[in-house]
C-alpha cells in the first residue's frame, strides 16, 4: 500500500504562531499552541487588568464572563445556561465528582483508555467517600459496536453512580461512539460524564446531541484559546447540585456563575478565547480539520513504515476528522510511564521534535498530531532519524 499524500498547506497558517522554527512541534494535543493574535488579545486584557485592578474585577467582569460563555457554548452547540467556564477538563471532572454525593457501595466506572489525571481524581473521590472505582477493558481494535457492548455489560444499575467515558482518548487517540454509549447508560439509569478534552475545535460536534449528563472539553488544545480555558456542560436536572471546588462571592447565583467565579483568578484566557475561534474561522474551520487529520494520517504512515510497522497494524482513530494518530513502538520500548517520559525527552533533545510517548497496556506508543503549522517534511525527518535513535537503546 502506498503512503497517503499529505494535504496541501494552508497559506500563511504557520506565520500565525510564535513556535520555535528549529523544533518540529508534532504534539499539539498536549498543550496546544496559541496563535499570536490570541496572545496579543490576552495581553491587552492583562494590560487592562493591571492598569486598574479594582475596575477590572469589580465593574462588569461577571457579565463579560457570561458573554464569553454564551459565545463559546454556541460554538460547541451547548446550552449557555448549562455551561460553565473552568480552567481545564480535569477541573471540570473534579467538580462533577465532588458534587455527586458518592457513598460507600457506590461505584464509578471508567475505561482503560482514560486520561491519567482523571483516574487520579476518581480514585481520590472514591477514597474520600468510600465508593469504589472499576475499569472496563476495551481492546484497541474494538469496533464501535463492541465498545458499546462492553459498556452495556459492564454497568451495574443501582450501584454504578457514574460512567466516565472519553470522546477522544488521550492515550490511544481513539474516537469513542459517545452518543451510543450515553444511550446505553441512560437505558440503565446510569449518569455519564464525557471527557471531551480534545474535541472542541477538532471535531464538528454538537454537545447537545451527545446527550451526556456532564461534558467537559478544553478549548486551549484544538480551538486556539489561551491555556486554562475549558467548559463544563451540565444537563438541566443536575445543575442545582453542582458545587464549585472553592466557594466564592457568586455562590448564591447558582450554576454556572458559582463555578466560574473564583475571586482573583486570572480570567484573561477565557475573555480572549473567542479570538481563537475567530482565527479558526478565518482559516476555514472545515479546511483546518481536514488538513490536520490528513497530515496526522500521513505522519502515522511514514513513521510507521520507518519502524517496520505494517499498515494493518497501525491503529485507526475511528473517524476521518481525528487529528491524532498512534504508532506502536518496538516491543520492550517505553513500556512504563517513566520509560515513556525518558524517551520523549530523548526525542526532543536529540531529534528536535516534540512528540507524545505513551505507555499503555504494557506497550510503548508514539502519538503524533497534525496542525496547520506542521509540514510533511517534519514527519519525514522524524521517520528517518527515529529508528536510529531507538536502535541506540
Amino acid at each position: 500500500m502506498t503512503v497517503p499524500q499529505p494535504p496541501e498547506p494552508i497559506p500563511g497558517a504557520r506565520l500565525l504562531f510564535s513556535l520555535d522554527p528549529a523544533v518540529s512541534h508534532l504534539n499539539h494535543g498536549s498543550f496546544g499552541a496559541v496563535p499570536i493574535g490570541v496572545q496579543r488579545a490576552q495581553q491587552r486584557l492583562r494590560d487592562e487588568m493591571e492598569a486598574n485592578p479594582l475596575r477590572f474585577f469589580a465593574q462588569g467582569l461577571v457579565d463579560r464572563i457570561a458573554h464569553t460563555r454564551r459565545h463559546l457554548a454556541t460554538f460547541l452547540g451547548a446550552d449557555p445556561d448549562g455551561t460553565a467556564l473552568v480552567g481545564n477538563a480535569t477541573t471540570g471532572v473534579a467538580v462533577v465528582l465532588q458534587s455527586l454525593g458518592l457513598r460507600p457501595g457506590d461505584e464509578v466506572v471508567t475505561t482503560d483508555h482514560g486520561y491519567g489525571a482523571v483516574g487520579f481524581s476518581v480514585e481520590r473521590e472514591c477514597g474520600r467517600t468510600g465508593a469504589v472505582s472499576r475499569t472496563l477493558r476495551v481492546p484497541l481494535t474494538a469496533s464501535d459496536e463492541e465498545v458499546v457492548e462492553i459498556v452495556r455489560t459492564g454497568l451495574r444499575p443501582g450501584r454504578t453512580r457514574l460512567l466516565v467515558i472519553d470522546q477522544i482518548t488521550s492515550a490511544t487517540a481513539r474516537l469513542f461512539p459517545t452518543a451510543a454509549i450515553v444511550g446505553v447508560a441512560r437505558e440503565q439509569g446510569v449518569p455519564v460524564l464525557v471527557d471531551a478534552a480534545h474535541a472542541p475545535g477538532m471535531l464538528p460536534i454538537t454537545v447537545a446531541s451527545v446527550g451526556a449528563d456532564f461534558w467537559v472539553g478544553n478549548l486551549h488544545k484544538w480551538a486556539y484559546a489561551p491555556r486554562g480555558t475549558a467548559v463544563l456542560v451540565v444537563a438541566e436536572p443536575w445543575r442545582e447540585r453542582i458545587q464549585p471546588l472553592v466557594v466564592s462571592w457568586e455562590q448564591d447565583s447558582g450554576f454556572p456563575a458559582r463555578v466560574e467565579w473564583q475571586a482573583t483568578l486570572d480570567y484573561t484566557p477565557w475573555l480572549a478565547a473567542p479570538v481563537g475561534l475567530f482565527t479558526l474561522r478565518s482559516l476555514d474551520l472545515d479546511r483546518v480539520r481536514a488538513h490536520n487529520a490528513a497530515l496526522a494520517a500521513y505522519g502515522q504512515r511514514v513513521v510507521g513504515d520507518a519502524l517496520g510497522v505494517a499498515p494493518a497494524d497501525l491503529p485507526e482513530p475511528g473517524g476521518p476528522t481525528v487529528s491524532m494518530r498512534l504508532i506502536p513502538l518496538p516491543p520492550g520500548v517505553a513500556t512504563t510511564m517513566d520509560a515513556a517520559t525518558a524517551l520523549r525527552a530523548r526525542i526532543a533533545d536529540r531529534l528536535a521534535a516534540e512528540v507524545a510517548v505513551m505507555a499503555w497496556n504494557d506497550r510503548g506508543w508514539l502519538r503524533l498530531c497534525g496542525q496547520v503549522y506542521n509540514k510533511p517534511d517534519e514527519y519525514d525527518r522524524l521517520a528517518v532519524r527515529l529508528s536510529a535513535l531507538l536502535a541506540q537503546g
Side-chain angles (χ1 to χ4, degrees), residues 23-334:
V23 176
S24 295
H25 301 272
L26 308 178
N27 185 23
H28 186 89
S30 284
F31 297 103
V34 184
I36 295 170
V38 181
Q39 296 178 41
R40 290 174 176 169
Q42 185 181 11
Q43 188 57 53
R44 288 193 295 270
L45 288 162
R46 286 178 173 144
D47 292 342
E48 177 189 349
M49 176 172 61
E50 297 305 333
N52 192 331
L54 184 61
R55 178 186 294 273
F56 183 85
F57 282 97
Q59 296 187 18
L61 182 54
V62 172
D63 291 338
R64 292 172 75 176
I65 294 171
H67 176 76
T68 300
R69 176 205 313 141
R70 289 191 293 271
H71 188 102
L72 300 180
T74 299
F75 171 76
L76 294 170
D79 178 2
D81 293 333
T83 302
L85 294 169
V86 292
N88 54 41
T90 311
T91 299
V93 169
V95 168
V96 172
L97 287 170
Q98 62 90 36
S99 298
L100 286 176
L102 294 173
R103 296 175 296 181
D106 292 339
E107 68 175 17
V108 177
V109 173
T110 61
T111 79
D112 58 348
H113 295 251
Y115 186 59
V118 171
F120 293 151
S121 190
V122 169
E123 291 294 338
R124 186 187 70 170
E125 191 63 19
C126 287
R128 188 180 71 83
T129 61
V132 297
S133 64
R134 189 160 53 86
T135 302
L136 303 179
R137 305 297 176 185
V138 179
L140 187 61
T141 58
S143 66
D144 285 354
E145 293 76 15
E146 289 170 335
V147 173
V148 172
E149 189 58 29
I150 289 170
V151 172
R152 185 195 307 276
T153 58
L155 299 178
R156 297 192 280 202
R159 183 171 181 181
T160 306
R161 289 289 309 282
L162 184 70
L163 168 66
V164 182
I165 198 79
D166 293 74
Q167 190 150 10
I168 302 175
T169 64
S170 178
T172 56
R174 169 68 192 271
L175 179 66
F176 274 175
T178 48
I181 291 172
V182 169
V184 164
R186 178 168 291 115
E187 292 173 358
Q188 302 191 37
V190 175
V192 181
L193 165 59
V194 173
D195 179 358
H198 289 274
M202 185 198 293
L203 299 182
I205 55 171
T206 301
V207 174
S209 68
V210 176
D213 301 87
F214 314 100
W215 188 97
V216 293
N218 293 321
L219 285 97
H220 53 243
K221 290 182 181 287
W222 301 92
Y224 296 165
R227 292 173 198 88
T229 306
V231 296
L232 164 62
V233 184
V234 178
E236 196 279 332
W238 291 94
R239 292 173 191 170
E240 287 306 309
R241 297 177 57 177
I242 298 297
Q243 295 291 332
L245 299 177
V246 178
V247 174
S248 195
W249 287 101
E250 289 297 315
Q251 178 66 14
D252 291 339
S253 298
F255 185 86
R258 66 160 56 127
V259 170
E260 293 172 333
W261 186 256
Q262 297 292 303
T264 51
L265 185 73
D266 182 0
Y267 299 97
T268 62
W270 299 355
L271 300 180
V275 182
L277 300 186
F278 173 81
T279 305
L280 267 177
R281 292 184 174 114
S282 70
L283 293 172
D284 185 340
L285 182 54
D286 290 338
R287 184 179 183 185
V288 169
R289 287 170 172 157
H291 170 277
N292 293 348
L295 193 56
Y298 173 81
Q300 182 191 42
R301 280 295 302 277
V302 295
V303 175
D305 284 352
L307 296 182
V309 181
D313 294 329
L314 292 173
E316 287 292 333
T321 59
V322 177
S323 304
M324 303 190 298
R325 293 286 181 128
L326 208 63
I327 303 159
L329 292 170
V333 175

